[in-house]
Structures are given as C-alpha cells and as structure tokens.
Amino acid sequence: MKKNIKNDSKDSKKVAAKGYRVSSKLIHGPELMTKQWDFSHHVVPPQSSSVTYAVSSAQRGALGFIQFASDKDVHKTPILIYDRLEEPNRNMLEERLALAEGGEMAIAFTTGMAAISAILGVLTRTGEHIIAHHTLYGCTYSLLANWFPRDGRGVTFTNLLDIEKVMREIKKETRVIYLETPSNPILEIIDIGELRKAVDKINAKRKKEETIKIVVDNTFATPFCQRPISLGADISLASLTKGIGGFGTDMGGIVVGPKELRHPLMMYRKDFGGVLAPKSAWPTLVYGLPTLDVRMRKQQETAMRVASYLENHPKVARAIYPGLKSHPQYKIARKQLIDCDGNFAPGSMLYFVLKGKPAVAWKSGSTIIDYLAEKSLVITLAVSLGMIKTLIEHPSSMTHAAIPVEEQEKFGIDPGGIRLSIGIEDSCDILNDLDTALKLIK
Ligand SMILES: *Cc1c(COP(=O)(O)O)cnc(C)c1O
C-alpha cells in the first residue's frame, strides 16, 4: 500500500469515462483507473482485507487524520488509516452507489438498519420530530416507535398518501419526513415530487438548520427502477442486503445524499461503528451492482406475468403490483418508477390477498405457503427480498410482526396478505408452482 501514497505515472492514464451509460459504469466503475486504489492489472478489484494501513511518516499519518476529519473532496485519493474510517473496496462501492442513485455522495453501513439509524441520528436530536408513513419495514417501525421516543425524539406515523394531512402534522420541531415507496409490504406509491413541493413551501420560511428533509427508503425499487433524489428527495437509502446485493450472501446498507452530509455521516459511522465490512462490500461491488440491470429486467418481466396471473385468478381477492393498471397509485407509479432508458420499471415485488374473511384468507394463505415451502423448487419460504431466488413470506406474522395486528389492519396489511419477491428462475416454473398451490384451496 505504500506505493499508493505517491501518485505515479498511472495517474496520466486516469481517463474519465464520459459518455458511458450508468449500467456500464456500474460494471467497470466511473473511471478507467480508480483513484481509490492503485492497481492496474486486476480486471476484478482485489478483495481488500486489512484492518490497518502503514503510513510512510508520522507527518503523513497526521495528515491522514486531518483529511478524514475535514469535510474534504469525496473523490480525492484518501490516505488510508484504519478500516473503520476509509477502505478501498467500500470506497469504490460507495462511489458507484452514488452514481447509481444520482446523488453527490454515498456512505455504506453494516446493514440497512444501521444506515437508517445513522441518517436519522444525524438529522435529528432530542426534542426534534420525525413524520413517517404508517406502513414501513417492521424494524424501521420498531426503531421509530420503540427507540427514538426513549431519548426524546418525537415520531408521528401518518398516511403520506394524503399530503395535506401530512402538512397538518408538521410541527416547528419536525426535521424529517420518512417513507418507503413502494412501501413494504403493500407497495403503496407515495408521490415524492408532490411531497417536495409541499415541504419546500414550509422550508422557505425556515432557517437552513431547521429545514425538513425528505428521506426515502429505496430498497424495494432499487436504483434500477427509481432514483428518489431526482424526484425530489433529499436522501435516498437502501438495504444492500436486498435487491442491490441480489445474491443473498451479504448484508449492508447505504445512504446517498448531498455532499454536506458526508462529513457528519462519516463521523457518526466512525463513532457508532456500523461500518460496512470490506468483505461484504466486495461481493456487492463485484457481483451485485454490476448485475443489477440484467437481474431486474428479468425479475420484472416475470413479476408482470405473475401479477397478471394472480389478478385474474378466481381465488385471489387482490393482487397488488405497481405494473398493474388496477394499482391504486398506478399514475404515480408510471411517473416515478422509470429505468435509466425511460421505460416503466415496476420492480420485482408483489403482494396478494386470497378471497374470504381475514381468518379464511389467512388459512388459505398458509395452505399455499406451506405447500410451496415443502414442494416447490423455485419458490422458497423466507424473509428478505430482491434476490435471484424467488421468496414468499407472510408479512403479518413475519417481517411486520413488530407492528401490532390492530395497527397492521388499519394501515392495510391484511392478516392473510402474502408477499412475493420474484427471482430470476424460469417464469413458467414459478407460475406452474403457484398454480398447483392455488388448486389446493377452496
Ligand atoms: C430489509 C429492509 C430494511 C433493513 O435492511 P437490513 O439490511 O436487513 O438491515 C430496510 N428497509 C426495507 C424496505 C427493507 O426491506
């Protein structure tokens, strides 16, 4: 690594990859030669595995600490000191994720939850207030409902589909509006642009440090289908464990946003310690992100077929998929879920409810889930999502069990609702197994 300290002749070969499409840059990186690491012969970046880094002099070591603590240029070659500060594999991944999401900078964390708690930790303090959509990933709900109030941060859960109502919930202490779109698990689509307009009116009357930030969890859509910052969000975040990682081998989380948040997020990550391990950054850098485009195209095509099949099935009461015209926010979906070529990109996630009263629907649901768990090669009963393998689960008793059942029903999570995350298997196999399972119920 000592060689890394001086810029050598390879510097001259650093060619900015201008004119290339994002999907190509996610495979090769934004530049021909990365500034993050000095290697020129590896076609695949070496997997970095060093907790600490040798520096050539005490002065250089001191400079490393000064640079880290200053709000420096994101793209400068860092002086590497210690894994918890900066690290080449992770830095390269962050650079590409900023690019994928169309943000100024990205900071990676151990898990999606570590990313969420870090950005909310940076944006709010005791006495301040967060407004969140009432359907959220179960652990995010639990973080906001159980932990934040303990240190005096107020949280109001409300329906972000009703922007006027949201505006009425805003207090002078409100600093964050937090949402998922599409939401987990029922795939509601919240209009980020309309929310931006409404929040801007309030922010115009506030001091800069008291403005409200819009934070969007983009895990379901992935940057292939949606770039929230381009739609008006201040911050886009995601669990790398899901669609971006894609292969289900590693956990991770990312926060993407304006460069003034880089410094506080890096300081927060250094001190709270939830830094993404290089060994987990590497598979996402080498396998996950480069294949996001091809995986999502295939998954989405199958998801559309499965959604149409479920929508027309006599035993299904409701099939929810942003690609179906029957989706309650279809118009907003058409506007927001767009791939880099400008095509409608409704994603790989589906939600459906079987016919009958809630208890009956749940019983029918368990019948098909149990059958698939036992007999299907291509549909696996498991939480997580966005993987190359198709996963089925029951949100009410699994991913969203942290939300009390009465609350779940109020917010539209049916006791018998079933979530499907479509993988890259042959779509006929997925449809055949679903069809066989649905034959088992009355
Ligand atoms: C899974 C998930 C998270 C949390 O991510 P982890 O990597 O499991 O910590 C956050 N938001 C959504 C929408 C998720 O599906």
Side-chain angles (χ1 to χ4, degrees):
M1 290 312 302
K2 282 181 189 157
K3 261 183 65 202
N4 190 28
I5 290 163
K6 269 192 267 122
N7 285 334
D8 63 16
S9 59
K10 288 185 204 84
D11 225 22
S12 59
K13 286 192 223 149
K14 284 174 186 166
V15 180
K18 285 207 184 74
Y20 288 101
R21 313 283 293 259
V22 170
S23 56
S24 299
K25 289 185 184 175
L26 294 184
I27 298 164
H28 291 277
E31 293 166 301
L32 213 49
M33 292 294 300
T34 179
K35 289 173 190 158
Q36 296 299 342
W37 209 352
D38 177 19
F39 58 81
S40 58
H41 306 295
H42 293 80
V43 173
V44 174
Q47 191 174 65
S48 163
S49 195
S50 183
V51 162
T52 191
Y53 295 87
V55 280
S56 54
S57 66
Q59 198 193 9
R60 178 117 183 125
L63 186 62
F65 277 96
I66 290 166
Q67 278 193 1
F68 180 78
S70 74
D71 197 355
K72 65 182 164 42
D73 177 7
V74 183
H75 297 297
K76 204 188 251 161
T77 306
I79 297 172
L80 298 171
I81 301 277
Y82 189 59
D83 186 347
R84 187 154 35 73
L85 309 186
E86 289 194 89
E87 189 286 327
N89 281 166
R90 190 170 55 236
N91 283 6
M92 290 169 78
L93 177 65
E94 288 170 345
E95 218 172 60
R96 288 182 204 188
L97 282 164
L99 185 78
E101 285 276 357
E104 289 176 349
M105 63 89 211
I107 311 285
F109 295 85
T110 43
T111 62
M113 287 317 301
I116 295 168
S117 45
I119 186 62
L120 293 177
V122 162
L123 294 178
T124 63
R125 58 184 77 197
T126 299
E128 294 182 337
H129 176 246
I130 296 168
I131 292 177
H133 186 53
H134 56 207
T135 41
L136 290 173
Y137 175 63
C139 299
T140 309
Y141 176 86
S142 173
L143 174 74
L144 292 172
N146 300 326
W147 293 101
F148 273 41
R150 281 174 45 150
D151 68 4
R153 278 177 283 185
V155 180
T156 303
F157 293 99
T158 189
N159 183 5
L160 264 67
L161 292 170
D162 182 350
I163 291 178
E164 280 171 27
K165 185 157 182 271
V166 177
M167 293 305 114
R168 289 197 297 274
E169 303 278 10
I170 289 178
K171 307 177 188 192
K172 77 176 189 314
E173 298 83 16
T174 306
R175 297 290 176 268
V176 169
I177 297 182
Y178 187 93
L179 60 133
E180 295 165 5
T181 179
S183 70
N184 185 354
I186 57 172
L187 306 165
E188 290 161 310
I189 312 280
I190 294 159
D191 194 325
I192 301 171
E194 285 303 310
L195 193 59
R196 177 81 265 162
K197 278 192 228 155
V199 167
D200 277 348
K201 281 190 202 141
I202 293 172
N203 282 348
K205 297 181 216 125
R206 292 188 172 200
K207 285 188 239 153
K208 189 167 186 290
E209 61 278 15
E210 290 172 4
T211 54
I212 300 166
K213 303 282 191 296
I214 300 171
V215 180
V216 175
D217 180 337
N218 200 33
T219 302
F220 264 41
T222 80
F224 175 84
C225 300
Q226 174 175 267
R227 276 95 29 228
I229 293 171
S230 72
L231 297 166
D234 294 286
I235 286 113
S236 177
L237 62 85
S239 165
L240 300 175
T241 318
K242 313 290 174 57
I244 295 174
F247 292 86
T249 60
D250 294 86
M251 301 199 82
I254 192 79
V255 176
V256 186
K259 54 179 185 297
E260 63 263 26
L261 280 175
R262 178 179 156 81
H263 183 63
L265 278 167
M266 287 295 267
M267 293 297 135
Y268 189 100
R269 189 178 73 174
K270 167 179 81 71
D271 296 340
F272 284 83
V275 63
L276 181 67
K279 288 187 184 71
S280 294
W282 190 84
T284 311
L285 174 72
V286 172
Y287 301 121
L289 256 192
T291 59
L292 178 64
D293 186 287
V294 281
R295 284 186 286 115
M296 280 307 292
R297 283 177 202 277
K298 166 97 183 175
Q299 287 168 224
Q300 185 167 271
E301 201 181 295
T302 304
M304 192 67 217
R305 284 189 69 186
V306 174
S308 311
Y309 162 82
L310 289 171
E311 184 177 42
N312 294 312
H313 198 286
K315 291 174 188 169
V316 174
R318 254 175 348 118
I320 309 273
Y321 178 62
L324 293 175
K325 289 204 173 76
S326 58
H327 188 288
Q329 294 92 37
Y330 181 71
K331 265 205 187 133
I332 311 170
R334 291 238 42 148
K335 198 171 66 175
Q336 291 193 163
L337 293 165
I338 301 287
D339 69 20
C340 284
D341 299 328
N343 301 316
F344 187 31
S348 60
M349 298 301 297
L350 292 160
Y351 177 81
F352 66 100
V353 186
L354 297 166
K355 280 192 178 154
K357 294 219 168 71
V360 176
W362 168 225
K363 199 161 168 288
S364 309
S366 344
T367 305
I368 74 162
I369 285 181
D370 288 347
Y371 168 80
L372 292 167
E374 206 182 325
K375 295 279 190 331
S376 175
L377 177 75
V378 293
I379 304 177
T380 306
L381 170 59
V383 298
S384 199
L385 56 102
M387 269 174 68
I388 56 168
K389 297 187 177 188
T390 297
L391 306 178
I392 197 165
E393 69 116 2
H394 177 230
S396 177
S397 68
M398 294 170 75
T399 44
H400 291 68
I403 307 172
V405 177
E406 321 78 67
E407 301 283 295
Q408 289 181 10
E409 288 201 63
K410 254 199 295 187
F411 304 153
I413 304 174
D414 310 76
I418 295 171
R419 192 182 78 180
L420 248 182
S421 167
I422 300 294
I424 60 171
E425 300 91 344
D426 189 294
S427 61
C428 296
D429 286 336
I430 296 170
L431 283 166
N432 281 341
D433 282 1
L434 276 174
D435 199 55
T436 312
L438 280 160
K439 287 201 173 88
L440 298 176
I441 58 173
K442 283 197 210 86

